[in-house]
Amino acid sequence: MTLEVWDRPDAQPGAGGDAPGESAEQPGRRWSRWPGGRRRATVVAAATVAFMLIVLGAVALRGRSGADLPLDPGNARPAGSQALARVLEERGLAVDIARGEADLLGLDQPGPDTTVVITQTQALSEETAATALDHARRARRIVLVEPDTFLLQSLGLPVDPAGGAASTRSVRADCVADGIAAADTISSVGSGYTTTDPSADTCFTFERSSALVTVPSRAGTPEVVVLGAGEILSNREITRYDNAGVSVRLLGRGDRLVWYTADPRDVALEDTTPTSEIPRALGPLVFLGLTALLATMLWRGRRFGPLVTEPLPAVVKAIETTQSRGRLYRRAKDTARAGSILRTAARGRLGRYLGLQAGAPARAVAEAVARATGRPPEHVLALLDGPPPATEDALVALATDLSTLEKEVHRP
């Protein structure tokens, strides 16, 4: 006799269907790669991604709006300064906001009753800083918020950064200056400065660096205040210590306040000062990235000649595979391996039918089968996980017993 043995738990002798995943097409049929629908979907998806990147690049080039910039008088977030601007307006001060050089030059030129405060000073170049200073030359006071070395040198101010934060805790003024009392205390300081001008006032000094340096006015220039504690102007810090009083007295002198937020887009392309490098490179870098993306899309998406066709592989029926495997086991007289395959397949089918987890141990399957059939658990366990059959007759008997056991479990 010929004994048919199959490895797959769900394979049955005599099954007339094809193996899972195999096509029922005849061997002569041909098929085409890259059907038109898939190619169109790829092109549409690539075009959508490119459009989104272009929009994001345009947004990046436009920069952030005033509502997002730190220390902007229209920003109501913790880093903004809307609270201070509102307080100054309630005190009768006219607050004019200039976001960028064009807005600044479009305002009336500041007069002797005007204070000009400049935030985002790191965005100024030598040219834009000189333009702002010239526009405000008749103002009463100019307040520079946390300027760097380059800006101080370009404006010719006798002030130098002290190389780090002046303090990480509250600091007393310990000075008497215009708008500052000796007992005033502010919260943590961002930057500290030193000065070589003996006529300059220094306040909020800690470890030989000051958070506020006032350079007196000279012929043709207004008084300049270098403020290293820009955080005291923010909505987050304005209510701490004496931050509110110091800020109002510092910016509220006179009848008008011009709040200038520097914009890096005002830096001309031919301006080679250090602060202009990032604004100059941003546009070309975004354009270069988009160009490279489009080139890659065209390279990967173009069609190289006609579509390629190729024959399908040979189709082998599932029953033929099962019978061939069984003949190999019979020829090799490998009854032990055949018996192990039969038991593994039976345990898998019984476990799934009884709701056990995949790969459940033989003992767990045997106990569940015993409960379903009424057979002794040890008898079931010996059948599902006993010694391998030594002869073909023993293998046939094992196959018959396993088939009978499965029918008992499936019996309603």
CSV table of all heavy atoms in Angstrom, one decimal, residues 134-157:
chain,number,residue,atom,x,y,z
A,134,ASP,N,20.0,105.3,12.9
A,134,ASP,CA,19.9,106.6,12.3
A,134,ASP,C,18.4,107.1,12.3
A,134,ASP,O,18.2,108.3,12.5
A,134,ASP,CB,20.4,106.5,10.8
A,134,ASP,CG,20.2,107.8,10.1
A,134,ASP,OD1,21.0,108.8,10.4
A,134,ASP,OD2,19.3,107.9,9.2
A,135,HIS,N,17.5,106.1,12.2
A,135,HIS,CA,16.1,106.5,12.2
A,135,HIS,C,15.7,107.0,13.6
A,135,HIS,O,14.8,107.8,13.8
A,135,HIS,CB,15.2,105.3,11.8
A,135,HIS,CG,13.8,105.6,11.7
A,135,HIS,ND1,13.2,106.3,10.7
A,135,HIS,CD2,12.7,105.2,12.5
A,135,HIS,CE1,11.9,106.4,10.9
A,135,HIS,NE2,11.6,105.8,12.0
A,136,ALA,N,16.4,106.4,14.7
A,136,ALA,CA,16.0,106.8,16.0
A,136,ALA,C,17.0,107.7,16.7
A,136,ALA,O,17.0,107.8,17.9
A,136,ALA,CB,15.9,105.5,16.9
A,137,ARG,N,17.8,108.5,15.9
A,137,ARG,CA,18.8,109.3,16.5
A,137,ARG,C,18.2,110.5,17.3
A,137,ARG,O,19.0,111.0,18.1
A,137,ARG,CB,19.7,109.9,15.3
A,137,ARG,CG,19.0,110.8,14.4
A,137,ARG,CD,19.9,111.3,13.3
A,137,ARG,NE,19.3,112.2,12.3
A,137,ARG,CZ,18.6,111.8,11.3
A,137,ARG,NH1,18.4,110.5,11.0
A,137,ARG,NH2,18.0,112.7,10.5
A,138,ARG,N,17.0,110.8,17.1
A,138,ARG,CA,16.4,111.9,17.9
A,138,ARG,C,15.6,111.4,19.1
A,138,ARG,O,14.9,112.2,19.8
A,138,ARG,CB,15.5,112.8,17.0
A,138,ARG,CG,16.3,113.5,15.9
A,138,ARG,CD,15.4,114.4,15.0
A,138,ARG,NE,16.1,115.0,14.0
A,138,ARG,CZ,15.6,115.8,13.0
A,138,ARG,NH1,14.2,116.0,13.1
A,138,ARG,NH2,16.3,116.3,12.1
A,139,ALA,N,15.5,110.1,19.3
A,139,ALA,CA,14.7,109.5,20.3
A,139,ALA,C,15.4,109.9,21.7
A,139,ALA,O,16.5,110.2,21.8
A,139,ALA,CB,14.6,108.0,20.2
A,140,ARG,N,14.6,109.7,22.7
A,140,ARG,CA,15.1,109.9,24.1
A,140,ARG,C,15.9,108.8,24.5
A,140,ARG,O,17.0,109.0,25.2
A,140,ARG,CB,13.9,110.1,25.0
A,140,ARG,CG,14.3,110.2,26.5
A,140,ARG,CD,13.1,110.5,27.3
A,140,ARG,NE,13.4,110.7,28.7
A,140,ARG,CZ,12.6,111.0,29.7
A,140,ARG,NH1,11.3,111.3,29.4
A,140,ARG,NH2,13.0,111.2,30.9
A,141,ARG,N,15.5,107.6,24.2
A,141,ARG,CA,16.3,106.4,24.7
A,141,ARG,C,16.1,105.2,23.7
A,141,ARG,O,15.0,105.1,23.2
A,141,ARG,CB,15.8,106.0,26.1
A,141,ARG,CG,16.2,104.7,26.6
A,141,ARG,CD,15.6,104.3,27.9
A,141,ARG,NE,16.1,105.2,29.0
A,141,ARG,CZ,15.6,105.1,30.3
A,141,ARG,NH1,14.6,104.3,30.6
A,141,ARG,NH2,16.1,105.9,31.2
A,142,ILE,N,17.2,104.5,23.6
A,142,ILE,CA,17.1,103.2,22.8
A,142,ILE,C,17.5,102.1,23.8
A,142,ILE,O,18.5,102.1,24.4
A,142,ILE,CB,18.1,103.3,21.6
A,142,ILE,CG1,17.7,104.3,20.6
A,142,ILE,CG2,18.1,101.9,20.9
A,142,ILE,CD1,18.7,104.4,19.4
A,143,VAL,N,16.6,101.1,23.8
A,143,VAL,CA,16.8,99.9,24.6
A,143,VAL,C,17.1,98.7,23.7
A,143,VAL,O,16.3,98.3,22.9
A,143,VAL,CB,15.6,99.6,25.5
A,143,VAL,CG1,15.8,98.4,26.4
A,143,VAL,CG2,15.2,100.8,26.4
A,144,LEU,N,18.3,98.2,23.9
A,144,LEU,CA,18.7,97.0,23.1
A,144,LEU,C,18.6,95.8,24.0
A,144,LEU,O,19.2,95.7,25.1
A,144,LEU,CB,20.2,97.2,22.6
A,144,LEU,CG,20.5,98.3,21.7
A,144,LEU,CD1,22.0,98.4,21.4
A,144,LEU,CD2,19.7,98.2,20.4
A,145,VAL,N,17.8,94.8,23.6
A,145,VAL,CA,17.6,93.6,24.4
A,145,VAL,C,18.5,92.5,24.0
A,145,VAL,O,18.5,92.0,22.9
A,145,VAL,CB,16.1,93.2,24.3
A,145,VAL,CG1,15.9,91.9,25.1
A,145,VAL,CG2,15.2,94.3,24.7
A,146,GLU,N,19.4,92.2,24.9
A,146,GLU,CA,20.4,91.1,24.8
A,146,GLU,C,21.2,91.2,23.5
A,146,GLU,O,21.2,90.2,22.7
A,146,GLU,CB,19.7,89.7,25.0
A,146,GLU,CG,19.1,89.6,26.3
A,146,GLU,CD,18.5,88.2,26.6
A,146,GLU,OE1,18.8,87.3,25.7
A,146,GLU,OE2,17.9,88.0,27.6
A,147,PRO,N,21.8,92.3,23.1
A,147,PRO,CA,22.6,92.3,21.9
A,147,PRO,C,23.9,91.5,22.0
A,147,PRO,O,24.4,91.3,23.1
A,147,PRO,CB,22.9,93.8,21.8
A,147,PRO,CG,22.9,94.3,23.2
A,147,PRO,CD,21.9,93.5,23.9
A,148,ASP,N,24.4,91.1,20.9
A,148,ASP,CA,25.7,90.3,20.9
A,148,ASP,C,26.9,91.2,20.7
A,148,ASP,O,26.7,92.4,20.5
A,148,ASP,CB,25.6,89.2,19.9
A,148,ASP,CG,25.3,89.6,18.5
A,148,ASP,OD1,25.5,90.9,18.2
A,148,ASP,OD2,25.0,88.8,17.6
A,149,THR,N,28.1,90.6,20.6
A,149,THR,CA,29.3,91.4,20.5
A,149,THR,C,29.3,92.2,19.2
A,149,THR,O,29.7,93.3,19.1
A,149,THR,CB,30.5,90.5,20.6
A,149,THR,OG1,30.5,89.8,21.8
A,149,THR,CG2,31.8,91.3,20.5
A,150,PHE,N,28.9,91.5,18.1
A,150,PHE,CA,28.9,92.1,16.8
A,150,PHE,C,28.1,93.4,16.7
A,150,PHE,O,28.5,94.4,16.2
A,150,PHE,CB,28.4,91.1,15.7
A,150,PHE,CG,28.0,91.8,14.4
A,150,PHE,CD1,28.9,92.2,13.5
A,150,PHE,CD2,26.6,92.0,14.2
A,150,PHE,CE1,28.5,92.9,12.4
A,150,PHE,CE2,26.2,92.6,13.0
A,150,PHE,CZ,27.2,93.0,12.1
A,151,LEU,N,26.9,93.4,17.3
A,151,LEU,CA,26.0,94.5,17.3
A,151,LEU,C,26.6,95.7,18.1
A,151,LEU,O,26.6,96.8,17.7
A,151,LEU,CB,24.6,94.1,17.7
A,151,LEU,CG,23.6,95.3,17.7
A,151,LEU,CD1,23.4,95.8,16.3
A,151,LEU,CD2,22.3,94.8,18.3
A,152,LEU,N,27.1,95.3,19.3
A,152,LEU,CA,27.7,96.4,20.1
A,152,LEU,C,28.9,97.0,19.4
A,152,LEU,O,29.0,98.3,19.5
A,152,LEU,CB,28.1,95.8,21.5
A,152,LEU,CG,27.0,95.2,22.3
A,152,LEU,CD1,27.5,94.5,23.5
A,152,LEU,CD2,26.1,96.3,22.8
A,153,GLN,N,29.7,96.3,18.8
A,153,GLN,CA,30.9,96.8,18.1
A,153,GLN,C,30.4,97.6,16.9
A,153,GLN,O,31.0,98.7,16.6
A,153,GLN,CB,31.8,95.7,17.7
A,153,GLN,CG,32.5,95.0,18.9
A,153,GLN,CD,33.4,93.9,18.4
A,153,GLN,OE1,33.4,93.5,17.3
A,153,GLN,NE2,34.2,93.4,19.4
A,154,SER,N,29.5,97.2,16.1
A,154,SER,CA,29.0,97.9,14.9
A,154,SER,C,28.4,99.2,15.3
A,154,SER,O,28.5,100.2,14.5
A,154,SER,CB,28.1,97.1,14.1
A,154,SER,OG,26.9,96.8,14.9
A,155,LEU,N,27.8,99.3,16.5
A,155,LEU,CA,27.2,100.6,16.9
A,155,LEU,C,28.2,101.5,17.7
A,155,LEU,O,27.9,102.6,18.0
A,155,LEU,CB,26.0,100.3,17.8
A,155,LEU,CG,24.8,99.6,17.1
A,155,LEU,CD1,23.7,99.4,18.1
A,155,LEU,CD2,24.3,100.4,15.9
A,156,GLY,N,29.4,100.9,17.9
A,156,GLY,CA,30.4,101.7,18.6
A,156,GLY,C,30.2,102.0,20.0
A,156,GLY,O,30.6,103.0,20.6
A,157,LEU,N,29.5,101.0,20.7
A,157,LEU,CA,29.1,101.2,22.1
A,157,LEU,C,30.3,100.7,23.0
A,157,LEU,O,30.8,99.6,22.7
A,157,LEU,CB,27.8,100.5,22.5
A,157,LEU,CG,26.6,101.0,21.8
A,157,LEU,CD1,25.4,100.1,22.1
A,157,LEU,CD2,26.3,102.4,22.2
